[in-house]
């Protein structure tokens, strides 16, 4: 987002920061989950592979195999939770953008509906559509004040 902020006006930057504040609890969780999931999965896969393919499986090795399998399962669960949280981030972000678009008194209803449909049709490009809307709103406000 810092790269985009160089090209955005103060008005758009303020709105994007408000959106980021709304999403920050989710993004913090996602980064924490990703930070732990990848190393846990890697340690588990490496050690399970090493134990299964280099040494014969004995009764003494079974508890360690179980522990590494548990570590891998925890890593996979965190990875799955990360995926779900990312979906939630997109959903909350889209809801915020749609709500903000609907509140606009400067942009016509037709254009507002157009932006809302774009956000619903292309949720991954939500930020681009939202910034485009904010830029149009800012331009209309400047023209109205002239």
């Amino acid at each position: 987002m810092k790269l985009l902020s160089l090209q955005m006006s103060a008005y758009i930057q303020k709105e994007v920061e408000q959106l980021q504040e709304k999403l920050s609890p989710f993004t913090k969780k996602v980064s924490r989950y990703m930070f732990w999931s990848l190393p846990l999965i890697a340690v588990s896969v490496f050690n399970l592979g090493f134990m299964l393919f280099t040494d014969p499986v004995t009764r003494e090795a079974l508890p360690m195999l179980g522990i590494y399998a548990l570590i891998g399962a925890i890593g996979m669960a965190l990875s799955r939770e990360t995926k779900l949280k990312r979906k939630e981030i997109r959903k909350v972000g889209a809801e915020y953008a749609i709500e903000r678009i609907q509140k606009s008194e400067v942009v016509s209803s037709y254009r507002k509906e157009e932006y809302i449909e774009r956000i619903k049709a292309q949720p991954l490009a939500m930020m681009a559509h939202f910034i485009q809307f904010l830029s149009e709103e800012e331009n209309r406000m400047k023209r109205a004040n002239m």
Side-chain angles (χ1 to χ4, degrees):
M1 283 302 162
K2 295 297 179 193
L3 294 176
L4 286 175
S5 67
L6 299 174
Q7 302 167 355
M8 292 189 291
S9 68
Y11 177 77
I12 295 173
Q13 201 168 0
K14 181 181 143 216
E15 293 288 339
V16 170
E17 285 173 3
Q18 288 177 351
L19 173 62
Q20 286 176 335
E21 283 178 30
K22 181 113 173 139
L23 297 177
S24 105
F26 299 106
T27 56
K28 286 179 184 175
K29 282 184 182 178
V30 165
S31 63
R32 241 183 277 133
Y33 290 166
M34 278 303 291
F35 177 78
W36 286 106
S37 72
L38 293 177
L40 289 175
I41 293 170
V43 164
S44 173
V45 168
F46 175 77
N47 285 311
L48 282 172
F50 184 76
M51 288 182 75
L52 290 174
F53 295 117
T54 59
D55 296 332
V57 179
T58 61
R59 291 189 112 207
E60 293 80 30
L62 287 178
M64 286 307 294
L65 287 171
I67 289 172
Y68 289 130
L70 179 64
I71 289 171
I74 291 169
M76 294 297 282
L78 288 173
S79 178
R80 177 73 178 148
E81 189 65 22
T82 298
K83 186 177 179 180
L84 294 174
K85 289 290 180 194
R86 283 185 178 157
K87 284 183 181 179
E88 194 171 349
I89 287 171
R90 282 193 294 271
K91 180 182 168 209
V92 170
E95 287 173 357
Y96 176 85
I98 289 170
E99 184 179 308
R100 173 61 182 81
I101 289 169
Q102 289 172 340
K103 285 182 182 178
S104 176
E105 296 176 1
V106 179
V107 179
S108 70
S109 344
Y110 172 76
R111 290 295 290 165
K112 287 195 273 189
E113 286 304 316
E114 195 175 295
Y115 282 112
I116 290 170
E117 287 305 313
R118 285 184 195 172
I119 289 172
K120 288 180 180 177
Q122 301 171 335
L124 294 178
M126 183 272 304
M127 275 305 284
H129 298 310
F130 187 54
I131 289 172
Q132 195 176 22
F133 162 77
L134 292 171
S135 141
E136 180 177 334
E137 183 179 53
E138 182 180 28
N139 288 339
R140 288 178 186 240
M141 287 185 340
K142 284 179 182 177
R143 277 189 247 137
N145 289 335
M146 286 185 171

